[in-house]
Amino acid sequence: ETGVTQSPTHLIKTRGQQVTLRCSSQSGHNTVSWYQQALGQGPQFIFQYYREEENGRGNFPPRFSGLQFPNYSSELNVNALELDDSALYLCASSRQGANTGELFFGEGSRLTVL
Amino acid sequence: DAKTTQPNSMESNEEEPVHLPCNHSTISGTDYIHWYRQLPSQGPEYVIHGLTSNVNNRMASLAIAEDRKSSTLILHRATLRDAAVYYCILRDTGTASKLTFGTGTRLQVTL
């Protein structure tokens, strides 16, 4: 059973650019959620995808968008990057409706915006 | 979302038990109490969860107060590998994947 994998692990962008981060969910998991973790803070929920549709969103502007593919992998896209977007972006997968509600997190993609 | 309150940091000696407290006075009847931990340079890792009764697993024990307004994560024998930030979270059952993290408790374990 493979775990959650994210790519790239590190990347540097400049203000105004766009970025795409990728996530492969754990085998058998059909739900993917994304979190943003600023330095010294706990992760903040961005949104969740289930059956290729967004079905929950945190307090993030529309320039944060995502996709989920038929194989349950996912992308996070951020347009018009701002300096405050510098953070660790975490992907988590789970089985919708699973009683435990346990999320399995990847190691994250660290984005630096200059 | 219901909120939790945890101490910013705690210290423990290796091989000793550690009790990590969490207050959640506004918990609702259907909120589960979840604990995750985050080791340095890694994503969060599930530790344990419970609703009303105390819970045990291979990693830890969770003691839940009778009124459910507080809980305690118990690591029975702390090791250096347990040094991490521990998050106490009330699960939003409306969006099953939405976990509202606070700033957690940074646990330091020393020899």
Side-chain angles (χ1 to χ4, degrees), chain A residues 38-69:
Chain A
L39 203 60
Q41 302 295 316
Q44 301 298 305
F45 176 76
I46 302 175
F47 44 53
Q48 170 186 282
Y49 276 81
Y50 172 63
R51 293 185 174 178
E52 302 177 47
E53 291 195 1
E54 182 183 303
N55 74 338
R57 189 177 184 94
N59 188 25
F60 282 82
R63 59 189 185 85
F64 286 78
S65 63
L67 287 172
Q68 186 182 30
F69 301 98

mmCIF file of all heavy atoms in Angstrom, chain A residues 38-69:
data_model
loop_
_atom_site.group_PDB
_atom_site.id
_atom_site.type_symbol
_atom_site.label_atom_id
_atom_site.label_comp_id
_atom_site.label_asym_id
_atom_site.label_seq_id
_atom_site.Cartn_x
_atom_site.Cartn_y
_atom_site.Cartn_z
ATOM 1 N N ALA A 38 1.440 27.842 7.083
ATOM 2 C CA ALA A 38 2.447 28.895 7.179
ATOM 3 C C ALA A 38 3.427 28.541 8.295
ATOM 4 O O ALA A 38 3.119 27.743 9.188
ATOM 5 C CB ALA A 38 1.772 30.223 7.453
ATOM 6 N N LEU A 39 4.580 29.155 8.245
ATOM 7 C CA LEU A 39 5.631 28.854 9.210
ATOM 8 C C LEU A 39 5.146 29.118 10.639
ATOM 9 O O LEU A 39 4.612 30.188 10.936
ATOM 10 C CB LEU A 39 6.851 29.710 8.903
ATOM 11 C CG LEU A 39 8.191 29.181 9.407
ATOM 12 C CD1 LEU A 39 8.502 27.827 8.810
ATOM 13 C CD2 LEU A 39 9.303 30.175 9.071
ATOM 14 N N GLY A 40 5.281 28.122 11.507
ATOM 15 C CA GLY A 40 4.913 28.291 12.903
ATOM 16 C C GLY A 40 3.434 28.179 13.201
ATOM 17 O O GLY A 40 3.017 28.370 14.347
ATOM 18 N N GLN A 41 2.641 27.858 12.183
ATOM 19 C CA GLN A 41 1.198 27.747 12.360
ATOM 20 C C GLN A 41 0.736 26.319 12.083
ATOM 21 O O GLN A 41 1.463 25.524 11.488
ATOM 22 C CB GLN A 41 0.476 28.694 11.398
ATOM 23 C CG GLN A 41 0.861 30.157 11.548
ATOM 24 C CD GLN A 41 0.455 30.710 12.892
ATOM 25 O OE1 GLN A 41 -0.649 30.470 13.375
ATOM 26 N NE2 GLN A 41 1.372 31.430 13.536
ATOM 27 N N GLY A 42 -0.485 26.024 12.506
ATOM 28 C CA GLY A 42 -1.081 24.749 12.156
ATOM 29 C C GLY A 42 -1.625 24.796 10.735
ATOM 30 O O GLY A 42 -1.847 25.877 10.176
ATOM 31 N N PRO A 43 -1.828 23.654 10.120
ATOM 32 C CA PRO A 43 -2.382 23.633 8.757
ATOM 33 C C PRO A 43 -3.781 24.241 8.704
ATOM 34 O O PRO A 43 -4.561 24.081 9.635
ATOM 35 C CB PRO A 43 -2.431 22.141 8.428
ATOM 36 C CG PRO A 43 -1.428 21.507 9.348
ATOM 37 C CD PRO A 43 -1.487 22.316 10.599
ATOM 38 N N GLN A 44 -4.078 24.935 7.603
ATOM 39 C CA GLN A 44 -5.392 25.537 7.381
ATOM 40 C C GLN A 44 -6.052 24.858 6.184
ATOM 41 O O GLN A 44 -5.445 24.760 5.113
ATOM 42 C CB GLN A 44 -5.256 27.033 7.135
ATOM 43 C CG GLN A 44 -4.585 27.787 8.295
ATOM 44 C CD GLN A 44 -5.378 27.695 9.579
ATOM 45 O OE1 GLN A 44 -6.563 28.026 9.634
ATOM 46 N NE2 GLN A 44 -4.735 27.238 10.651
ATOM 47 N N PHE A 45 -7.295 24.452 6.358
ATOM 48 C CA PHE A 45 -8.047 23.752 5.317
ATOM 49 C C PHE A 45 -8.309 24.664 4.136
ATOM 50 O O PHE A 45 -8.860 25.766 4.293
ATOM 51 C CB PHE A 45 -9.360 23.249 5.921
ATOM 52 C CG PHE A 45 -10.302 22.590 4.961
ATOM 53 C CD1 PHE A 45 -10.071 21.299 4.513
ATOM 54 C CD2 PHE A 45 -11.446 23.239 4.529
ATOM 55 C CE1 PHE A 45 -10.960 20.671 3.651
ATOM 56 C CE2 PHE A 45 -12.342 22.623 3.675
ATOM 57 C CZ PHE A 45 -12.096 21.337 3.225
ATOM 58 N N ILE A 46 -7.947 24.194 2.934
ATOM 59 C CA ILE A 46 -8.231 24.963 1.716
ATOM 60 C C ILE A 46 -9.527 24.464 1.088
ATOM 61 O O ILE A 46 -10.483 25.214 0.916
ATOM 62 C CB ILE A 46 -7.069 24.862 0.705
ATOM 63 C CG1 ILE A 46 -5.767 25.352 1.325
ATOM 64 C CG2 ILE A 46 -7.404 25.671 -0.560
ATOM 65 C CD1 ILE A 46 -4.549 25.173 0.424
ATOM 66 N N PHE A 47 -9.547 23.192 0.670
ATOM 67 C CA PHE A 47 -10.757 22.573 0.116
ATOM 68 C C PHE A 47 -10.606 21.068 0.056
ATOM 69 O O PHE A 47 -9.531 20.519 0.300
ATOM 70 C CB PHE A 47 -11.139 23.113 -1.274
ATOM 71 C CG PHE A 47 -10.014 23.266 -2.254
ATOM 72 C CD1 PHE A 47 -9.151 22.215 -2.550
ATOM 73 C CD2 PHE A 47 -9.820 24.475 -2.900
ATOM 74 C CE1 PHE A 47 -8.133 22.372 -3.462
ATOM 75 C CE2 PHE A 47 -8.796 24.638 -3.816
ATOM 76 C CZ PHE A 47 -7.952 23.593 -4.100
ATOM 77 N N GLN A 48 -11.736 20.433 -0.261
ATOM 78 C CA GLN A 48 -11.790 18.977 -0.357
ATOM 79 C C GLN A 48 -12.407 18.591 -1.698
ATOM 80 O O GLN A 48 -13.305 19.279 -2.191
ATOM 81 C CB GLN A 48 -12.655 18.415 0.764
ATOM 82 C CG GLN A 48 -12.977 16.930 0.643
ATOM 83 C CD GLN A 48 -13.946 16.480 1.710
ATOM 84 O OE1 GLN A 48 -13.567 16.269 2.847
ATOM 85 N NE2 GLN A 48 -15.215 16.314 1.360
ATOM 86 N N TYR A 49 -11.945 17.490 -2.271
ATOM 87 C CA TYR A 49 -12.507 16.957 -3.503
ATOM 88 C C TYR A 49 -12.969 15.527 -3.294
ATOM 89 O O TYR A 49 -12.271 14.706 -2.685
ATOM 90 C CB TYR A 49 -11.488 17.010 -4.643
ATOM 91 C CG TYR A 49 -11.462 18.352 -5.316
ATOM 92 C CD1 TYR A 49 -10.752 19.404 -4.746
ATOM 93 C CD2 TYR A 49 -12.181 18.596 -6.468
ATOM 94 C CE1 TYR A 49 -10.747 20.654 -5.322
ATOM 95 C CE2 TYR A 49 -12.186 19.849 -7.069
ATOM 96 C CZ TYR A 49 -11.467 20.872 -6.488
ATOM 97 O OH TYR A 49 -11.468 22.109 -7.062
ATOM 98 N N TYR A 50 -14.160 15.264 -3.808
ATOM 99 C CA TYR A 50 -14.749 13.926 -3.754
ATOM 100 C C TYR A 50 -15.495 13.706 -5.049
ATOM 101 O O TYR A 50 -16.268 14.573 -5.478
ATOM 102 C CB TYR A 50 -15.689 13.816 -2.547
ATOM 103 C CG TYR A 50 -16.498 12.542 -2.487
ATOM 104 C CD1 TYR A 50 -15.878 11.308 -2.356
ATOM 105 C CD2 TYR A 50 -17.890 12.571 -2.551
ATOM 106 C CE1 TYR A 50 -16.610 10.137 -2.303
ATOM 107 C CE2 TYR A 50 -18.632 11.406 -2.494
ATOM 108 C CZ TYR A 50 -17.992 10.185 -2.370
ATOM 109 O OH TYR A 50 -18.716 9.031 -2.303
ATOM 110 N N ARG A 51 -15.266 12.585 -5.692
ATOM 111 C CA ARG A 51 -15.894 12.289 -6.982
ATOM 112 C C ARG A 51 -15.658 13.418 -7.969
ATOM 113 O O ARG A 51 -16.570 13.849 -8.675
ATOM 114 C CB ARG A 51 -17.389 12.008 -6.817
ATOM 115 C CG ARG A 51 -17.674 10.730 -6.063
ATOM 116 C CD ARG A 51 -19.158 10.419 -6.009
ATOM 117 N NE ARG A 51 -19.400 9.127 -5.402
ATOM 118 C CZ ARG A 51 -20.599 8.619 -5.183
ATOM 119 N NH1 ARG A 51 -21.679 9.300 -5.524
ATOM 120 N NH2 ARG A 51 -20.730 7.437 -4.619
ATOM 121 N N GLU A 52 -14.451 13.905 -7.988
ATOM 122 C CA GLU A 52 -13.968 14.902 -8.949
ATOM 123 C C GLU A 52 -14.634 16.262 -8.796
ATOM 124 O O GLU A 52 -14.513 17.109 -9.681
ATOM 125 C CB GLU A 52 -14.128 14.379 -10.382
ATOM 126 C CG GLU A 52 -13.394 13.064 -10.613
ATOM 127 C CD GLU A 52 -13.625 12.508 -12.011
ATOM 128 O OE1 GLU A 52 -13.519 13.284 -12.977
ATOM 129 O OE2 GLU A 52 -13.917 11.295 -12.114
ATOM 130 N N GLU A 53 -15.317 16.489 -7.675
ATOM 131 C CA GLU A 53 -15.931 17.791 -7.455
ATOM 132 C C GLU A 53 -15.525 18.348 -6.097
ATOM 133 O O GLU A 53 -15.355 17.599 -5.119
ATOM 134 C CB GLU A 53 -17.453 17.693 -7.526
ATOM 135 C CG GLU A 53 -17.971 17.406 -8.931
ATOM 136 C CD GLU A 53 -19.459 17.666 -9.045
ATOM 137 O OE1 GLU A 53 -20.073 18.090 -8.053
ATOM 138 O OE2 GLU A 53 -20.001 17.427 -10.128
ATOM 139 N N GLU A 54 -15.415 19.663 -6.031
ATOM 140 C CA GLU A 54 -15.137 20.314 -4.761
ATOM 141 C C GLU A 54 -16.389 20.225 -3.892
ATOM 142 O O GLU A 54 -17.476 20.634 -4.315
ATOM 143 C CB GLU A 54 -14.760 21.777 -4.990
ATOM 144 C CG GLU A 54 -14.398 22.524 -3.729
ATOM 145 C CD GLU A 54 -14.100 23.993 -3.985
ATOM 146 O OE1 GLU A 54 -13.209 24.300 -4.790
ATOM 147 O OE2 GLU A 54 -14.785 24.838 -3.353
ATOM 148 N N ASN A 55 -16.250 19.727 -2.663
ATOM 149 C CA ASN A 55 -17.423 19.627 -1.799
ATOM 150 C C ASN A 55 -17.144 20.145 -0.401
ATOM 151 O O ASN A 55 -17.717 19.678 0.579
ATOM 152 C CB ASN A 55 -17.971 18.195 -1.763
ATOM 153 C CG ASN A 55 -17.107 17.259 -0.943
ATOM 154 O OD1 ASN A 55 -15.939 17.525 -0.726
ATOM 155 N ND2 ASN A 55 -17.681 16.167 -0.475
ATOM 156 N N GLY A 56 -16.295 21.122 -0.312
ATOM 157 C CA GLY A 56 -16.030 21.786 0.964
ATOM 158 C C GLY A 56 -14.880 22.744 0.738
ATOM 159 O O GLY A 56 -13.923 22.412 0.037
ATOM 160 N N ARG A 57 -14.964 23.944 1.306
ATOM 161 C CA ARG A 57 -13.923 24.935 1.071
ATOM 162 C C ARG A 57 -13.707 25.761 2.326
ATOM 163 O O ARG A 57 -14.673 26.097 3.030
ATOM 164 C CB ARG A 57 -14.319 25.845 -0.089
ATOM 165 C CG ARG A 57 -13.208 26.776 -0.552
ATOM 166 C CD ARG A 57 -13.637 27.605 -1.759
ATOM 167 N NE ARG A 57 -12.534 28.416 -2.260
ATOM 168 C CZ ARG A 57 -11.717 28.040 -3.237
ATOM 169 N NH1 ARG A 57 -11.898 26.878 -3.840
ATOM 170 N NH2 ARG A 57 -10.735 28.824 -3.624
ATOM 171 N N GLY A 58 -12.467 26.075 2.584
ATOM 172 C CA GLY A 58 -12.128 26.958 3.692
ATOM 173 C C GLY A 58 -12.117 28.405 3.234
ATOM 174 O O GLY A 58 -12.597 28.741 2.142
ATOM 175 N N ASN A 59 -11.535 29.266 4.040
ATOM 176 C CA ASN A 59 -11.539 30.694 3.773
ATOM 177 C C ASN A 59 -10.376 31.085 2.862
ATOM 178 O O ASN A 59 -9.447 31.773 3.287
ATOM 179 C CB ASN A 59 -11.458 31.456 5.109
ATOM 180 C CG ASN A 59 -11.656 32.940 4.930
ATOM 181 O OD1 ASN A 59 -12.292 33.369 3.972
ATOM 182 N ND2 ASN A 59 -11.103 33.713 5.840
ATOM 183 N N PHE A 60 -10.429 30.639 1.631
ATOM 184 C CA PHE A 60 -9.389 30.949 0.644
ATOM 185 C C PHE A 60 -10.048 31.528 -0.601
ATOM 186 O O PHE A 60 -11.138 31.117 -0.983
ATOM 187 C CB PHE A 60 -8.604 29.673 0.274
ATOM 188 C CG PHE A 60 -7.584 29.297 1.320
ATOM 189 C CD1 PHE A 60 -7.946 28.593 2.450
ATOM 190 C CD2 PHE A 60 -6.257 29.679 1.166
ATOM 191 C CE1 PHE A 60 -7.017 28.261 3.420
ATOM 192 C CE2 PHE A 60 -5.307 29.352 2.128
ATOM 193 C CZ PHE A 60 -5.696 28.644 3.250
ATOM 194 N N PRO A 61 -9.379 32.508 -1.248
ATOM 195 C CA PRO A 61 -9.976 33.172 -2.415
ATOM 196 C C PRO A 61 -10.040 32.242 -3.623
ATOM 197 O O PRO A 61 -9.373 31.197 -3.656
ATOM 198 C CB PRO A 61 -9.009 34.345 -2.663
ATOM 199 C CG PRO A 61 -7.716 33.893 -2.096
ATOM 200 C CD PRO A 61 -8.052 33.051 -0.897
ATOM 201 N N PRO A 62 -10.806 32.642 -4.645
ATOM 202 C CA PRO A 62 -11.005 31.809 -5.840
ATOM 203 C C PRO A 62 -9.734 31.528 -6.617
ATOM 204 O O PRO A 62 -9.703 30.596 -7.428
ATOM 205 C CB PRO A 62 -11.997 32.623 -6.671
ATOM 206 C CG PRO A 62 -12.690 33.481 -5.687
ATOM 207 C CD PRO A 62 -11.682 33.810 -4.639
ATOM 208 N N ARG A 63 -8.665 32.313 -6.405
ATOM 209 C CA ARG A 63 -7.443 32.029 -7.150
ATOM 210 C C ARG A 63 -6.793 30.719 -6.686
ATOM 211 O O ARG A 63 -5.860 30.242 -7.326
ATOM 212 C CB ARG A 63 -6.468 33.208 -7.056
ATOM 213 C CG ARG A 63 -6.050 33.576 -5.660
ATOM 214 C CD ARG A 63 -5.255 34.891 -5.649
ATOM 215 N NE ARG A 63 -4.757 35.163 -4.303
ATOM 216 C CZ ARG A 63 -3.629 34.657 -3.854
ATOM 217 N NH1 ARG A 63 -2.869 33.893 -4.636
ATOM 218 N NH2 ARG A 63 -3.224 34.916 -2.623
ATOM 219 N N PHE A 64 -7.302 30.165 -5.600
ATOM 220 C CA PHE A 64 -6.933 28.804 -5.186
ATOM 221 C C PHE A 64 -7.986 27.869 -5.777
ATOM 222 O O PHE A 64 -9.175 27.954 -5.431
ATOM 223 C CB PHE A 64 -6.928 28.667 -3.662
ATOM 224 C CG PHE A 64 -5.763 29.313 -2.988
ATOM 225 C CD1 PHE A 64 -5.726 30.679 -2.807
ATOM 226 C CD2 PHE A 64 -4.702 28.551 -2.523
ATOM 227 C CE1 PHE A 64 -4.643 31.288 -2.187
ATOM 228 C CE2 PHE A 64 -3.620 29.142 -1.885
ATOM 229 C CZ PHE A 64 -3.589 30.524 -1.723
ATOM 230 N N SER A 65 -7.567 27.014 -6.674
ATOM 231 C CA SER A 65 -8.507 26.090 -7.295
ATOM 232 C C SER A 65 -7.878 24.705 -7.365
ATOM 233 O O SER A 65 -6.671 24.549 -7.163
ATOM 234 C CB SER A 65 -8.892 26.560 -8.700
ATOM 235 O OG SER A 65 -7.747 26.567 -9.542
ATOM 236 N N GLY A 66 -8.719 23.731 -7.669
ATOM 237 C CA GLY A 66 -8.198 22.368 -7.696
ATOM 238 C C GLY A 66 -8.890 21.496 -8.711
ATOM 239 O O GLY A 66 -9.851 21.894 -9.370
ATOM 240 N N LEU A 67 -8.343 20.313 -8.824
ATOM 241 C CA LEU A 67 -8.930 19.282 -9.679
ATOM 242 C C LEU A 67 -8.734 17.938 -8.994
ATOM 243 O O LEU A 67 -7.752 17.731 -8.283
ATOM 244 C CB LEU A 67 -8.225 19.231 -11.042
ATOM 245 C CG LEU A 67 -8.476 20.337 -12.052
ATOM 246 C CD1 LEU A 67 -7.527 20.179 -13.223
ATOM 247 C CD2 LEU A 67 -9.920 20.319 -12.517
ATOM 248 N N GLN A 68 -9.679 17.038 -9.246
ATOM 249 C CA GLN A 68 -9.465 15.644 -8.868
ATOM 250 C C GLN A 68 -9.714 14.803 -10.103
ATOM 251 O O GLN A 68 -10.668 15.053 -10.866
ATOM 252 C CB GLN A 68 -10.394 15.204 -7.738
ATOM 253 C CG GLN A 68 -10.074 13.798 -7.240
ATOM 254 C CD GLN A 68 -11.019 13.318 -6.152
ATOM 255 O OE1 GLN A 68 -12.187 13.703 -6.119
ATOM 256 N NE2 GLN A 68 -10.530 12.478 -5.253
ATOM 257 N N PHE A 69 -8.894 13.818 -10.319
ATOM 258 C CA PHE A 69 -8.955 13.004 -11.523
ATOM 259 C C PHE A 69 -9.628 11.660 -11.217
ATOM 260 O O PHE A 69 -9.775 11.286 -10.056
ATOM 261 C CB PHE A 69 -7.549 12.811 -12.084
ATOM 262 C CG PHE A 69 -6.878 14.111 -12.424
ATOM 263 C CD1 PHE A 69 -5.980 14.692 -11.547
ATOM 264 C CD2 PHE A 69 -7.186 14.776 -13.596
ATOM 265 C CE1 PHE A 69 -5.378 15.912 -11.839
ATOM 266 C CE2 PHE A 69 -6.590 15.994 -13.899
ATOM 267 C CZ PHE A 69 -5.693 16.560 -13.029
#
